[in-house]
Amino acid sequence: MLRSILAATFLFSALGAQAAQTVVPQKSRIGFTFSQMNTPADGLFKNYTAAIDFDPAKPESAKAQIVVDLASIDVGGPDGNAEAKKKAWFDVASNPKGTFTATSVKALGGGKFETKGKLTIKGISRDVVGQMSAKQQGAELILEGSVPLLRLNYKLGDGAWADTGTVADEVTVKYKLVLTGKAGK
């Protein structure tokens, strides 16, 4: 618990003392899609923290850092969840968190944006590029997007699990983040 509080304090101070936007957890989601034995499957992470400052009118000034509790993975059943936490996959005992830090956001028109950032899993950082939409709905700003990645670049599925015939290398991270508050602090 103390570690979570310290991590959240660090995140918000890293983005500025006046974090203006708040993620609404019950309306937000961070998940992923992968293929196992040529069958699409979905998973999600139940716990994460997000410090985001995003104004669709000024995407170049966006700031975002998302920290995911990898032990909160849910791939649809207890056996799969237990396997995903093991050393060959996320190795949550040694690497309990995954992080994404935005490096740039560029408007593409029509409420669409290109996102770039650093994704770190198992101590391995890689540049990633994705697309996102932003839609104002009353007092809430809804950000929905996806980021494709290759799991083997992060050593997700070492050993026998490195066989891409069993679990495909391609994974798509999908998110919906509902924000309240005003950007720009």
Side-chain angles (χ1 to χ4, degrees):
M1 178 70 173
L2 180 58
R3 191 184 322 184
S4 297
I5 292 169
L6 291 173
T9 301
F10 172 74
L11 278 176
F12 287 111
S13 62
L15 289 177
Q18 302 288 330
Q21 290 171 301
T22 303
V23 174
V24 181
Q26 60 272 31
K27 294 183 178 182
S28 300
R29 173 185 161 96
I30 297 177
F32 53 93
T33 300
F34 63 102
S35 179
Q36 184 170 352
M37 304 293 289
N38 294 318
T39 302
D42 294 312
L44 63 95
F45 293 99
K46 295 178 180 178
N47 299 318
Y48 55 89
T49 58
I52 299 171
D53 186 6
F54 180 70
D55 179 349
K58 299 176 188 172
E60 65 283 350
S61 62
K63 295 179 179 144
Q65 185 167 39
I66 300 168
V67 178
V68 175
D69 174 5
L70 299 174
S72 73
I73 193 168
D74 185 349
V75 293
D79 292 341
N81 295 345
E83 184 64 38
K85 295 174 189 178
K86 291 181 179 178
K87 187 174 184 174
W89 288 96
F90 284 100
D91 190 14
V92 297
S94 299
N95 300 283
K97 306 290 181 199
T99 62
F100 171 79
T101 303
T103 55
S104 72
V105 179
K106 178 175 90 174
L108 299 175
K112 306 265 186 226
F113 301 87
E114 176 186 78
T115 60
K116 292 183 180 181
K118 290 271 186 203
L119 179 63
T120 303
I121 302 172
K122 291 178 80 169
I124 301 167
S125 293
R126 301 265 188 240
D127 292 325
V128 294
V129 178
Q131 289 205 358
M132 157 182 94
S133 66
K135 183 170 115 179
Q136 192 71 44
Q137 200 167 56
E140 297 175 335
L141 178 63
I142 301 168
L143 307 178
E144 289 187 86
S146 63
V147 179
L149 59 92
L150 300 175
R151 69 176 176 87
L152 293 176
N153 284 343
Y154 298 91
K155 296 187 180 181
L156 296 173
D158 279 343
W161 289 109
D163 174 15
T164 59
T166 303
V167 178
D169 195 18
E170 298 82 10
V171 175
T172 302
V173 176
K174 298 177 179 183
Y175 59 90
K176 177 181 181 182
L177 299 169
V178 178
L179 309 177
T180 61
K182 297 286 182 197
K185 294 287 181 189

